[in-house]
Amino acid sequence: MTEALLNTVIHAPNRLRICAILTPLQEAEFQVLRDELGVSDSVLSKHLKQLEAAGYVAFRKGAVNGRQRLWAGLTKAGRLAFSGHVKALHRLASIDDVQP
Amino acid sequence: MLLSQVAVARSINAAFHYGKTYVAKVERHCVVLAFQTGKRVKTMDRKNEITRDEAQAALNSIETMESAGYRRAVPRRWFGAGIAFFIASLFALYALQDPYPYIVLPILGIAILIVSARESAGAYGRDFPATKASKLAFVLFIALMLVAFLGSIFIRRAYDVSWLPVVVGLLAGLLVFWISEGERRSYLAKAEAGQVK
């Protein structure tokens, strides 16, 4: 069972959205991610590299009609970290108001 | 956990004894501890502090993006129909006296169909089921198909019933198409669930 842990690598808005869109997928193409997130190539590339450095995303290069395409997918560690982060967010969101 | 990290955690607990200490995380050399003060929920790391509203906003964003992922990966109807056709062909070929020169055709067809569907969509769903129940269903499905496949070949050869592989192939093809339609509907429902909210 995944532990509820906040993850500072994943929590940045764009990285959170990248992980979220990749969760139900095995792999997605770079172009698809860019269009869904509505960010530039360089911004997406930067965030993907950070996720890759943390071991959460893996890349695969493929060629279609002679054109290079980059595919990205969550690793097992990435899925676990994202699942733990979502659990932690759920807990945070459900904490009641307490007056000191 | 380092001693300094324990000390930090203890001092926070002492300072906010009236609040609810939430979740502690040790990341490299920093304790990330979420706690509640009044209406704000923060983490120990000021740079990455998260309020309750921000957590809710993040969850909403996750839901929207997950549904976008499902929308991108919805299997096309022609894909399910194509796979069903090639599976049925694979079974039916064993009605022939010598099916071996042709067996490669449906296998090649399935491979081409999978590759072209993935490339045209730019994203595809997970290769293997994620939950225990769906893993079990997947294993049972593969076992059923193998038993039907090998059984039809055995009966065809032992009793010379040449129509049997064709009938079993048709049934297998229908089953595959029915499963692919169920999968398609499930993806569409998940994609719409996020869009509605």
Side-chain angles (χ1 to χ4, degrees), chain A residues 4 6-8 17 20 24-27 29 32 36 64 69 71 88 91-93 95-98 100, chain B residues 22-23 25 27 36 38 41 43 52 56 61 66 69-73 118-119 122-127:
Chain A
L6 290 170
N7 189 308
T8 48
R17 293 171 71 211
L25 303 174
Q26 187 71 29
E27 281 183 324
E29 214 187 307
V32 168
E36 288 293 343
V64 180
R69 283 184 176 186
W71 294 77
R91 279 203 202 167
L92 277 171
I95 289 176
D96 298 330
D97 288 351
V98 173
Chain B
Y22 165 56
V23 59
K25 183 198 174 189
E27 188 181 286
Q36 186 173 1
V41 180
T43 60
R52 195 179 58 178
Q56 190 54 57
S61 156
E66 276 184 352
Y70 280 113
R71 183 168 38 79
R72 285 281 184 173
R118 288 178 174 186
E119 282 173 358
Y124 57 96
R126 296 182 70 176
D127 285 339

mmCIF file of all heavy atoms in Angstrom, chain A residues 4 6-8 17 20 24-27 29 32 36 64 69 71 88 91-93 95-98 100, chain B residues 22-23 25 27 36 38 41 43 52 56 61 66 69-73 118-119 122-127:
data_model
loop_
_atom_site.group_PDB
_atom_site.id
_atom_site.type_symbol
_atom_site.label_atom_id
_atom_site.label_comp_id
_atom_site.label_asym_id
_atom_site.label_seq_id
_atom_site.Cartn_x
_atom_site.Cartn_y
_atom_site.Cartn_z
ATOM 1 N N ALA A 4 1.083 7.966 2.270
ATOM 2 C CA ALA A 4 0.709 9.340 1.907
ATOM 3 C C ALA A 4 1.868 10.273 2.205
ATOM 4 O O ALA A 4 2.157 10.571 3.361
ATOM 5 C CB ALA A 4 -0.517 9.763 2.691
ATOM 6 N N LEU A 6 3.886 13.910 0.853
ATOM 7 C CA LEU A 6 3.986 15.042 -0.072
ATOM 8 C C LEU A 6 5.325 14.957 -0.786
ATOM 9 O O LEU A 6 6.334 14.642 -0.165
ATOM 10 C CB LEU A 6 3.888 16.351 0.696
ATOM 11 C CG LEU A 6 2.518 16.666 1.270
ATOM 12 C CD1 LEU A 6 2.612 17.842 2.206
ATOM 13 C CD2 LEU A 6 1.523 16.941 0.172
ATOM 14 N N ASN A 7 5.311 15.257 -2.068
ATOM 15 C CA ASN A 7 6.539 15.158 -2.838
ATOM 16 C C ASN A 7 6.806 16.502 -3.521
ATOM 17 O O ASN A 7 6.026 16.944 -4.370
ATOM 18 C CB ASN A 7 6.374 14.050 -3.888
ATOM 19 C CG ASN A 7 7.652 13.722 -4.581
ATOM 20 O OD1 ASN A 7 8.324 14.609 -5.083
ATOM 21 N ND2 ASN A 7 8.009 12.465 -4.593
ATOM 22 N N THR A 8 7.883 17.128 -3.138
ATOM 23 C CA THR A 8 8.163 18.480 -3.643
ATOM 24 C C THR A 8 8.540 18.479 -5.124
ATOM 25 O O THR A 8 8.365 19.482 -5.800
ATOM 26 C CB THR A 8 9.285 19.148 -2.822
ATOM 27 O OG1 THR A 8 10.346 18.230 -2.705
ATOM 28 C CG2 THR A 8 8.801 19.563 -1.454
ATOM 29 N N ARG A 17 0.669 18.097 -13.229
ATOM 30 C CA ARG A 17 -0.226 17.851 -14.365
ATOM 31 C C ARG A 17 0.369 16.810 -15.320
ATOM 32 O O ARG A 17 -0.362 15.994 -15.876
ATOM 33 C CB ARG A 17 -0.501 19.169 -15.088
ATOM 34 C CG ARG A 17 -1.310 20.131 -14.211
ATOM 35 C CD ARG A 17 -1.410 21.506 -14.816
ATOM 36 N NE ARG A 17 -2.275 21.528 -15.973
ATOM 37 C CZ ARG A 17 -2.132 22.337 -17.021
ATOM 38 N NH1 ARG A 17 -1.142 23.213 -17.050
ATOM 39 N NH2 ARG A 17 -2.970 22.297 -18.021
ATOM 40 N N ALA A 20 -0.205 13.547 -13.687
ATOM 41 C CA ALA A 20 -1.637 13.207 -13.707
ATOM 42 C C ALA A 20 -2.064 12.684 -15.077
ATOM 43 O O ALA A 20 -2.784 11.691 -15.156
ATOM 44 C CB ALA A 20 -2.471 14.421 -13.323
ATOM 45 N N PRO A 24 -3.015 7.387 -16.283
ATOM 46 C CA PRO A 24 -3.785 6.297 -16.938
ATOM 47 C C PRO A 24 -3.118 5.766 -18.205
ATOM 48 O O PRO A 24 -3.655 4.869 -18.839
ATOM 49 C CB PRO A 24 -5.110 6.984 -17.271
ATOM 50 C CG PRO A 24 -4.798 8.420 -17.407
ATOM 51 C CD PRO A 24 -3.593 8.712 -16.570
ATOM 52 N N LEU A 25 -1.975 6.330 -18.570
ATOM 53 C CA LEU A 25 -1.339 5.954 -19.836
ATOM 54 C C LEU A 25 -0.083 5.118 -19.624
ATOM 55 O O LEU A 25 0.562 5.216 -18.572
ATOM 56 C CB LEU A 25 -0.952 7.219 -20.620
ATOM 57 C CG LEU A 25 -2.076 8.215 -20.931
ATOM 58 C CD1 LEU A 25 -1.499 9.462 -21.576
ATOM 59 C CD2 LEU A 25 -3.120 7.583 -21.815
ATOM 60 N N GLN A 26 0.243 4.362 -20.644
ATOM 61 C CA GLN A 26 1.538 3.669 -20.638
ATOM 62 C C GLN A 26 2.605 4.659 -21.110
ATOM 63 O O GLN A 26 3.636 4.823 -20.471
ATOM 64 C CB GLN A 26 1.477 2.459 -21.587
ATOM 65 C CG GLN A 26 2.694 1.569 -21.557
ATOM 66 C CD GLN A 26 2.803 0.773 -20.275
ATOM 67 O OE1 GLN A 26 1.803 0.454 -19.651
ATOM 68 N NE2 GLN A 26 4.026 0.469 -19.862
ATOM 69 N N GLU A 27 2.308 5.322 -22.203
ATOM 70 C CA GLU A 27 3.211 6.332 -22.754
ATOM 71 C C GLU A 27 2.407 7.399 -23.480
ATOM 72 O O GLU A 27 1.302 7.122 -23.961
ATOM 73 C CB GLU A 27 4.163 5.696 -23.777
ATOM 74 C CG GLU A 27 5.321 4.941 -23.192
ATOM 75 C CD GLU A 27 6.240 4.412 -24.285
ATOM 76 O OE1 GLU A 27 5.748 4.026 -25.355
ATOM 77 O OE2 GLU A 27 7.462 4.400 -24.058
ATOM 78 N N GLU A 29 3.100 10.864 -26.275
ATOM 79 C CA GLU A 29 4.070 11.553 -27.106
ATOM 80 C C GLU A 29 4.314 12.968 -26.575
ATOM 81 O O GLU A 29 3.397 13.586 -26.000
ATOM 82 C CB GLU A 29 3.511 11.617 -28.525
ATOM 83 C CG GLU A 29 4.546 11.536 -29.590
ATOM 84 C CD GLU A 29 3.933 11.787 -30.935
ATOM 85 O OE1 GLU A 29 2.954 11.103 -31.255
ATOM 86 O OE2 GLU A 29 4.426 12.684 -31.619
ATOM 87 N N VAL A 32 1.737 15.519 -27.618
ATOM 88 C CA VAL A 32 0.438 15.366 -26.934
ATOM 89 C C VAL A 32 0.497 16.039 -25.564
ATOM 90 O O VAL A 32 -0.414 16.784 -25.177
ATOM 91 C CB VAL A 32 0.082 13.860 -26.792
ATOM 92 C CG1 VAL A 32 -1.089 13.655 -25.858
ATOM 93 C CG2 VAL A 32 -0.226 13.260 -28.155
ATOM 94 N N GLU A 36 -1.764 19.261 -24.362
ATOM 95 C CA GLU A 36 -2.687 19.139 -23.229
ATOM 96 C C GLU A 36 -2.327 20.116 -22.109
ATOM 97 O O GLU A 36 -3.201 20.647 -21.434
ATOM 98 C CB GLU A 36 -2.696 17.702 -22.685
ATOM 99 C CG GLU A 36 -3.389 16.707 -23.585
ATOM 100 C CD GLU A 36 -4.902 16.936 -23.712
ATOM 101 O OE1 GLU A 36 -5.479 17.642 -22.875
ATOM 102 O OE2 GLU A 36 -5.480 16.418 -24.677
ATOM 103 N N VAL A 64 8.702 8.004 -36.818
ATOM 104 C CA VAL A 64 7.522 7.773 -37.650
ATOM 105 C C VAL A 64 7.693 8.580 -38.925
ATOM 106 O O VAL A 64 7.864 9.799 -38.872
ATOM 107 C CB VAL A 64 6.228 8.205 -36.919
ATOM 108 C CG1 VAL A 64 5.012 7.966 -37.812
ATOM 109 C CG2 VAL A 64 6.083 7.469 -35.607
ATOM 110 N N ARG A 69 10.315 11.016 -32.777
ATOM 111 C CA ARG A 69 9.266 11.313 -31.804
ATOM 112 C C ARG A 69 9.723 10.829 -30.442
ATOM 113 O O ARG A 69 10.323 9.772 -30.317
ATOM 114 C CB ARG A 69 7.967 10.600 -32.174
ATOM 115 C CG ARG A 69 7.235 11.263 -33.307
ATOM 116 C CD ARG A 69 5.935 10.545 -33.508
ATOM 117 N NE ARG A 69 5.111 11.171 -34.513
ATOM 118 C CZ ARG A 69 3.872 10.789 -34.778
ATOM 119 N NH1 ARG A 69 3.331 9.802 -34.115
ATOM 120 N NH2 ARG A 69 3.163 11.397 -35.705
ATOM 121 N N TRP A 71 8.646 9.696 -26.686
ATOM 122 C CA TRP A 71 7.537 9.176 -25.874
ATOM 123 C C TRP A 71 7.957 9.209 -24.416
ATOM 124 O O TRP A 71 9.092 8.856 -24.081
ATOM 125 C CB TRP A 71 7.189 7.752 -26.280
ATOM 126 C CG TRP A 71 6.632 7.616 -27.659
ATOM 127 C CD1 TRP A 71 7.339 7.650 -28.830
ATOM 128 C CD2 TRP A 71 5.268 7.458 -28.026
ATOM 129 N NE1 TRP A 71 6.483 7.511 -29.896
ATOM 130 C CE2 TRP A 71 5.209 7.383 -29.442
ATOM 131 C CE3 TRP A 71 4.078 7.349 -27.300
ATOM 132 C CZ2 TRP A 71 4.013 7.219 -30.133
ATOM 133 C CZ3 TRP A 71 2.891 7.179 -28.005
ATOM 134 C CH2 TRP A 71 2.860 7.122 -29.401
ATOM 135 N N ALA A 88 -1.668 12.235 0.096
ATOM 136 C CA ALA A 88 -1.341 13.306 1.034
ATOM 137 C C ALA A 88 -2.193 14.549 0.754
ATOM 138 O O ALA A 88 -2.665 15.204 1.688
ATOM 139 C CB ALA A 88 0.143 13.643 0.934
ATOM 140 N N ARG A 91 -5.625 14.052 2.131
ATOM 141 C CA ARG A 91 -5.644 14.236 3.584
ATOM 142 C C ARG A 91 -5.619 15.716 3.938
ATOM 143 O O ARG A 91 -6.363 16.166 4.798
ATOM 144 C CB ARG A 91 -4.443 13.544 4.216
ATOM 145 C CG ARG A 91 -4.654 12.077 4.402
ATOM 146 C CD ARG A 91 -3.730 11.612 5.494
ATOM 147 N NE ARG A 91 -3.479 10.210 5.394
ATOM 148 C CZ ARG A 91 -2.528 9.592 6.061
ATOM 149 N NH1 ARG A 91 -1.706 10.278 6.837
ATOM 150 N NH2 ARG A 91 -2.352 8.306 5.956
ATOM 151 N N LEU A 92 -4.740 16.447 3.269
ATOM 152 C CA LEU A 92 -4.638 17.895 3.525
ATOM 153 C C LEU A 92 -5.965 18.587 3.231
ATOM 154 O O LEU A 92 -6.412 19.441 3.994
ATOM 155 C CB LEU A 92 -3.551 18.517 2.637
ATOM 156 C CG LEU A 92 -2.126 18.415 3.113
ATOM 157 C CD1 LEU A 92 -1.179 18.866 2.017
ATOM 158 C CD2 LEU A 92 -1.902 19.262 4.352
ATOM 159 N N ALA A 93 -6.582 18.202 2.134
ATOM 160 C CA ALA A 93 -7.831 18.858 1.723
ATOM 161 C C ALA A 93 -8.980 18.527 2.656
ATOM 162 O O ALA A 93 -9.956 19.270 2.717
ATOM 163 C CB ALA A 93 -8.179 18.455 0.301
ATOM 164 N N ILE A 95 -8.697 18.091 6.035
ATOM 165 C CA ILE A 95 -8.500 18.509 7.434
ATOM 166 C C ILE A 95 -9.510 19.600 7.795
ATOM 167 O O ILE A 95 -9.723 20.540 7.038
ATOM 168 C CB ILE A 95 -7.058 19.018 7.650
ATOM 169 C CG1 ILE A 95 -6.090 17.830 7.596
ATOM 170 C CG2 ILE A 95 -6.913 19.735 8.989
ATOM 171 C CD1 ILE A 95 -4.647 18.202 7.707
ATOM 172 N N ASP A 96 -10.130 19.439 8.967
ATOM 173 C CA ASP A 96 -11.146 20.405 9.416
ATOM 174 C C ASP A 96 -10.499 21.687 9.910
ATOM 175 O O ASP A 96 -9.329 21.718 10.259
ATOM 176 C CB ASP A 96 -11.957 19.820 10.575
ATOM 177 C CG ASP A 96 -12.690 18.581 10.150
ATOM 178 O OD1 ASP A 96 -13.049 18.503 8.966
ATOM 179 O OD2 ASP A 96 -12.874 17.693 10.996
ATOM 180 N N ASP A 97 -11.311 22.731 9.963
ATOM 181 C CA ASP A 97 -10.848 23.993 10.532
ATOM 182 C C ASP A 97 -10.680 23.851 12.041
ATOM 183 O O ASP A 97 -11.526 23.295 12.712
ATOM 184 C CB ASP A 97 -11.875 25.107 10.282
ATOM 185 C CG ASP A 97 -11.876 25.509 8.829
ATOM 186 O OD1 ASP A 97 -10.992 25.064 8.093
ATOM 187 O OD2 ASP A 97 -12.777 26.265 8.448
ATOM 188 N N VAL A 98 -9.573 24.375 12.559
ATOM 189 C CA VAL A 98 -9.342 24.351 14.017
ATOM 190 C C VAL A 98 -8.964 25.759 14.450
ATOM 191 O O VAL A 98 -8.084 26.374 13.870
ATOM 192 C CB VAL A 98 -8.213 23.360 14.377
ATOM 193 C CG1 VAL A 98 -7.865 23.479 15.850
ATOM 194 C CG2 VAL A 98 -8.615 21.951 14.059
ATOM 195 N N PRO A 100 -7.180 28.167 16.980
ATOM 196 C CA PRO A 100 -6.191 28.071 18.056
ATOM 197 C C PRO A 100 -6.684 28.738 19.344
ATOM 198 O O PRO A 100 -7.485 29.633 19.279
ATOM 199 C CB PRO A 100 -4.973 28.795 17.512
ATOM 200 C CG PRO A 100 -5.443 29.611 16.386
ATOM 201 C CD PRO A 100 -6.714 29.031 15.891
ATOM 202 N N TYR B 22 0.080 16.733 10.633
ATOM 203 C CA TYR B 22 -0.429 15.912 9.553
ATOM 204 C C TYR B 22 0.549 14.839 9.116
ATOM 205 O O TYR B 22 0.602 13.762 9.683
ATOM 206 C CB TYR B 22 -0.874 16.830 8.401
ATOM 207 C CG TYR B 22 -1.083 16.126 7.128
ATOM 208 C CD1 TYR B 22 -1.954 15.064 7.054
ATOM 209 C CD2 TYR B 22 -0.392 16.476 6.005
ATOM 210 C CE1 TYR B 22 -2.137 14.375 5.890
ATOM 211 C CE2 TYR B 22 -0.559 15.803 4.843
ATOM 212 C CZ TYR B 22 -1.435 14.745 4.794
ATOM 213 O OH TYR B 22 -1.591 14.062 3.641
ATOM 214 N N VAL B 23 1.354 15.116 8.137
ATOM 215 C CA VAL B 23 2.177 14.032 7.587
ATOM 216 C C VAL B 23 3.637 14.484 7.519
ATOM 217 O O VAL B 23 3.929 15.611 7.150
ATOM 218 C CB VAL B 23 1.659 13.596 6.199
ATOM 219 C CG1 VAL B 23 1.665 14.744 5.229
ATOM 220 C CG2 VAL B 23 2.475 12.460 5.636
ATOM 221 N N LYS B 25 7.485 13.960 6.194
ATOM 222 C CA LYS B 25 8.235 13.315 5.121
ATOM 223 C C LYS B 25 9.705 13.687 5.235
ATOM 224 O O LYS B 25 10.033 14.859 5.424
ATOM 225 C CB LYS B 25 7.710 13.788 3.771
ATOM 226 C CG LYS B 25 8.413 13.097 2.634
ATOM 227 C CD LYS B 25 8.235 13.830 1.368
ATOM 228 C CE LYS B 25 9.096 13.161 0.303
ATOM 229 N NZ LYS B 25 9.150 13.933 -0.897
ATOM 230 N N GLU B 27 12.897 14.129 3.241
ATOM 231 C CA GLU B 27 13.392 14.183 1.877
ATOM 232 C C GLU B 27 14.803 14.753 1.896
ATOM 233 O O GLU B 27 15.002 15.900 2.280
ATOM 234 C CB GLU B 27 12.487 15.065 1.035
ATOM 235 C CG GLU B 27 12.845 14.990 -0.419
ATOM 236 C CD GLU B 27 11.951 15.885 -1.232
ATOM 237 O OE1 GLU B 27 10.790 15.521 -1.419
ATOM 238 O OE2 GLU B 27 12.423 16.958 -1.624
ATOM 239 N N GLN B 36 -1.381 22.133 10.923
ATOM 240 C CA GLN B 36 -2.492 23.046 10.759
ATOM 241 C C GLN B 36 -2.446 24.144 11.804
ATOM 242 O O GLN B 36 -2.286 23.896 12.978
ATOM 243 C CB GLN B 36 -3.797 22.276 10.904
ATOM 244 C CG GLN B 36 -4.994 23.131 10.611
ATOM 245 C CD GLN B 36 -6.261 22.310 10.597
ATOM 246 O OE1 GLN B 36 -6.221 21.122 10.820
ATOM 247 N NE2 GLN B 36 -7.364 22.956 10.345
ATOM 248 N N GLY B 38 -4.808 27.346 12.665
ATOM 249 C CA GLY B 38 -6.030 28.041 12.294
ATOM 250 C C GLY B 38 -6.606 27.420 11.040
ATOM 251 O O GLY B 38 -6.836 26.216 10.999
ATOM 252 N N VAL B 41 -3.142 25.137 6.330
ATOM 253 C CA VAL B 41 -2.367 23.909 6.459
ATOM 254 C C VAL B 41 -1.082 24.139 5.688
ATOM 255 O O VAL B 41 -1.101 24.491 4.519
ATOM 256 C CB VAL B 41 -3.120 22.705 5.860
ATOM 257 C CG1 VAL B 41 -2.303 21.455 6.004
ATOM 258 C CG2 VAL B 41 -4.449 22.549 6.546
ATOM 259 N N THR B 43 3.233 23.152 4.999
ATOM 260 C CA THR B 43 4.307 22.191 5.203
ATOM 261 C C THR B 43 5.451 22.924 5.890
ATOM 262 O O THR B 43 5.492 24.150 5.919
ATOM 263 C CB THR B 43 4.818 21.611 3.866
ATOM 264 O OG1 THR B 43 5.294 22.690 3.091
ATOM 265 C CG2 THR B 43 3.723 20.876 3.138
ATOM 266 N N ARG B 52 -4.751 24.274 2.492
ATOM 267 C CA ARG B 52 -5.801 23.292 2.218
ATOM 268 C C ARG B 52 -6.465 23.593 0.869
ATOM 269 O O ARG B 52 -6.770 22.694 0.105
ATOM 270 C CB ARG B 52 -6.833 23.329 3.345
ATOM 271 C CG ARG B 52 -7.731 22.122 3.340
ATOM 272 C CD ARG B 52 -8.702 22.177 4.452
ATOM 273 N NE ARG B 52 -9.512 23.382 4.395
ATOM 274 C CZ ARG B 52 -10.476 23.665 5.255
ATOM 275 N NH1 ARG B 52 -10.694 22.868 6.272
ATOM 276 N NH2 ARG B 52 -11.190 24.761 5.146
ATOM 277 N N GLN B 56 -6.739 21.269 -2.526
ATOM 278 C CA GLN B 56 -7.984 20.979 -3.246
ATOM 279 C C GLN B 56 -7.858 21.365 -4.716
ATOM 280 O O GLN B 56 -8.299 20.625 -5.601
ATOM 281 C CB GLN B 56 -9.152 21.734 -2.592
ATOM 282 C CG GLN B 56 -10.527 21.317 -3.111
ATOM 283 C CD GLN B 56 -10.775 19.816 -3.006
ATOM 284 O OE1 GLN B 56 -10.689 19.235 -1.921
ATOM 285 N NE2 GLN B 56 -11.027 19.166 -4.139
ATOM 286 N N SER B 61 -7.065 19.802 -10.426
ATOM 287 C CA SER B 61 -6.214 19.823 -11.615
ATOM 288 C C SER B 61 -5.818 18.396 -12.014
ATOM 289 O O SER B 61 -5.799 18.059 -13.208
ATOM 290 C CB SER B 61 -4.986 20.681 -11.312
ATOM 291 O OG SER B 61 -3.927 20.347 -12.117
ATOM 292 N N GLU B 66 -6.148 13.782 -15.588
ATOM 293 C CA GLU B 66 -6.355 12.332 -15.728
ATOM 294 C C GLU B 66 -7.431 12.046 -16.769
ATOM 295 O O GLU B 66 -7.292 11.135 -17.586
ATOM 296 C CB GLU B 66 -6.741 11.715 -14.379
ATOM 297 C CG GLU B 66 -5.533 11.394 -13.527
ATOM 298 C CD GLU B 66 -5.870 10.691 -12.230
ATOM 299 O OE1 GLU B 66 -7.060 10.576 -11.884
ATOM 300 O OE2 GLU B 66 -4.933 10.284 -11.536
ATOM 301 N N GLY B 69 -6.014 12.408 -20.098
ATOM 302 C CA GLY B 69 -5.230 11.211 -20.430
ATOM 303 C C GLY B 69 -6.132 10.101 -20.951
ATOM 304 O O GLY B 69 -5.836 9.473 -21.971
ATOM 305 N N TYR B 70 -7.256 9.882 -20.263
ATOM 306 C CA TYR B 70 -8.206 8.848 -20.710
ATOM 307 C C TYR B 70 -8.775 9.200 -22.080
ATOM 308 O O TYR B 70 -8.933 8.344 -22.939
ATOM 309 C CB TYR B 70 -9.350 8.702 -19.703
ATOM 310 C CG TYR B 70 -8.978 7.866 -18.500
ATOM 311 C CD1 TYR B 70 -8.882 8.414 -17.224
ATOM 312 C CD2 TYR B 70 -8.721 6.499 -18.643
ATOM 313 C CE1 TYR B 70 -8.531 7.650 -16.132
ATOM 314 C CE2 TYR B 70 -8.376 5.717 -17.551
ATOM 315 C CZ TYR B 70 -8.283 6.304 -16.295
ATOM 316 O OH TYR B 70 -7.936 5.535 -15.218
ATOM 317 N N ARG B 71 -9.063 10.512 -22.289
ATOM 318 C CA ARG B 71 -9.633 10.947 -23.568
ATOM 319 C C ARG B 71 -8.663 10.655 -24.715
ATOM 320 O O ARG B 71 -9.061 10.203 -25.785
ATOM 321 C CB ARG B 71 -9.938 12.456 -23.487
ATOM 322 C CG ARG B 71 -10.601 13.023 -24.727
ATOM 323 C CD ARG B 71 -11.138 14.426 -24.487
ATOM 324 N NE ARG B 71 -10.296 15.262 -23.653
ATOM 325 C CZ ARG B 71 -9.199 15.897 -24.056
ATOM 326 N NH1 ARG B 71 -8.799 15.766 -25.292
ATOM 327 N NH2 ARG B 71 -8.511 16.651 -23.216
ATOM 328 N N ARG B 72 -7.378 10.905 -24.456
ATOM 329 C CA ARG B 72 -6.363 10.662 -25.493
ATOM 330 C C ARG B 72 -6.210 9.173 -25.811
ATOM 331 O O ARG B 72 -5.801 8.807 -26.909
ATOM 332 C CB ARG B 72 -5.006 11.204 -25.025
ATOM 333 C CG ARG B 72 -4.911 12.707 -25.079
ATOM 334 C CD ARG B 72 -4.653 13.170 -26.492
ATOM 335 N NE ARG B 72 -4.468 14.601 -26.578
ATOM 336 C CZ ARG B 72 -4.104 15.225 -27.690
ATOM 337 N NH1 ARG B 72 -3.878 14.551 -28.781
ATOM 338 N NH2 ARG B 72 -3.963 16.536 -27.708
ATOM 339 N N ALA B 73 -6.461 8.336 -24.787
ATOM 340 C CA ALA B 73 -6.176 6.900 -24.954
ATOM 341 C C ALA B 73 -7.411 6.075 -25.294
ATOM 342 O O ALA B 73 -7.324 4.854 -25.324
ATOM 343 C CB ALA B 73 -5.536 6.371 -23.680
ATOM 344 N N ARG B 118 -1.390 3.272 -31.939
ATOM 345 C CA ARG B 118 -0.625 4.041 -30.947
ATOM 346 C C ARG B 118 -0.044 5.305 -31.565
ATOM 347 O O ARG B 118 -0.072 6.369 -30.970
ATOM 348 C CB ARG B 118 0.509 3.183 -30.359
ATOM 349 C CG ARG B 118 -0.025 2.116 -29.424
ATOM 350 C CD ARG B 118 1.073 1.238 -28.882
ATOM 351 N NE ARG B 118 0.536 0.336 -27.883
ATOM 352 C CZ ARG B 118 1.253 -0.466 -27.146
ATOM 353 N NH1 ARG B 118 2.563 -0.497 -27.300
ATOM 354 N NH2 ARG B 118 0.707 -1.250 -26.251
ATOM 355 N N GLU B 119 0.487 5.153 -32.768
ATOM 356 C CA GLU B 119 1.116 6.313 -33.398
ATOM 357 C C GLU B 119 0.106 7.364 -33.830
ATOM 358 O O GLU B 119 0.373 8.560 -33.753
ATOM 359 C CB GLU B 119 1.984 5.864 -34.575
ATOM 360 C CG GLU B 119 3.305 5.300 -34.081
ATOM 361 C CD GLU B 119 4.140 4.697 -35.173
ATOM 362 O OE1 GLU B 119 3.678 4.677 -36.328
ATOM 363 O OE2 GLU B 119 5.255 4.233 -34.871
ATOM 364 N N GLY B 122 -1.062 9.075 -30.446
ATOM 365 C CA GLY B 122 -0.010 9.792 -29.705
ATOM 366 C C GLY B 122 0.023 9.451 -28.233
ATOM 367 O O GLY B 122 0.825 10.006 -27.477
ATOM 368 N N ALA B 123 -0.848 8.566 -27.807
ATOM 369 C CA ALA B 123 -0.866 8.113 -26.404
ATOM 370 C C ALA B 123 -1.647 6.807 -26.360
ATOM 371 O O ALA B 123 -2.517 6.584 -27.197
ATOM 372 C CB ALA B 123 -1.537 9.146 -25.518
ATOM 373 N N TYR B 124 -1.327 5.974 -25.413
ATOM 374 C CA TYR B 124 -2.095 4.729 -25.286
ATOM 375 C C TYR B 124 -2.136 4.277 -23.832
ATOM 376 O O TYR B 124 -1.272 4.610 -23.032
ATOM 377 C CB TYR B 124 -1.523 3.630 -26.199
ATOM 378 C CG TYR B 124 -0.065 3.301 -25.965
ATOM 379 C CD1 TYR B 124 0.303 2.241 -25.151
ATOM 380 C CD2 TYR B 124 0.937 4.054 -26.569
ATOM 381 C CE1 TYR B 124 1.633 1.929 -24.950
ATOM 382 C CE2 TYR B 124 2.272 3.753 -26.365
ATOM 383 C CZ TYR B 124 2.612 2.686 -25.549
ATOM 384 O OH TYR B 124 3.931 2.383 -25.336
ATOM 385 N N GLY B 125 -3.218 3.519 -23.533
ATOM 386 C CA GLY B 125 -3.438 3.074 -22.155
ATOM 387 C C GLY B 125 -2.405 2.073 -21.694
ATOM 388 O O GLY B 125 -1.567 1.615 -22.479
ATOM 389 N N ARG B 126 -2.488 1.726 -20.439
ATOM 390 C CA ARG B 126 -1.483 0.844 -19.851
ATOM 391 C C ARG B 126 -1.540 -0.546 -20.471
ATOM 392 O O ARG B 126 -2.608 -1.078 -20.749
ATOM 393 C CB ARG B 126 -1.684 0.782 -18.339
ATOM 394 C CG ARG B 126 -1.444 2.153 -17.714
ATOM 395 C CD ARG B 126 -1.592 2.107 -16.229
ATOM 396 N NE ARG B 126 -0.500 1.360 -15.627
ATOM 397 C CZ ARG B 126 -0.351 1.233 -14.321
ATOM 398 N NH1 ARG B 126 -1.188 1.794 -13.497
ATOM 399 N NH2 ARG B 126 0.661 0.544 -13.828
ATOM 400 N N ASP B 127 -0.323 -1.119 -20.703
ATOM 401 C CA ASP B 127 -0.233 -2.427 -21.354
ATOM 402 C C ASP B 127 -0.858 -3.535 -20.512
ATOM 403 O O ASP B 127 -1.501 -4.427 -21.028
ATOM 404 C CB ASP B 127 1.242 -2.786 -21.606
ATOM 405 C CG ASP B 127 1.816 -1.993 -22.761
ATOM 406 O OD1 ASP B 127 1.021 -1.504 -23.576
ATOM 407 O OD2 ASP B 127 3.048 -1.849 -22.824
#
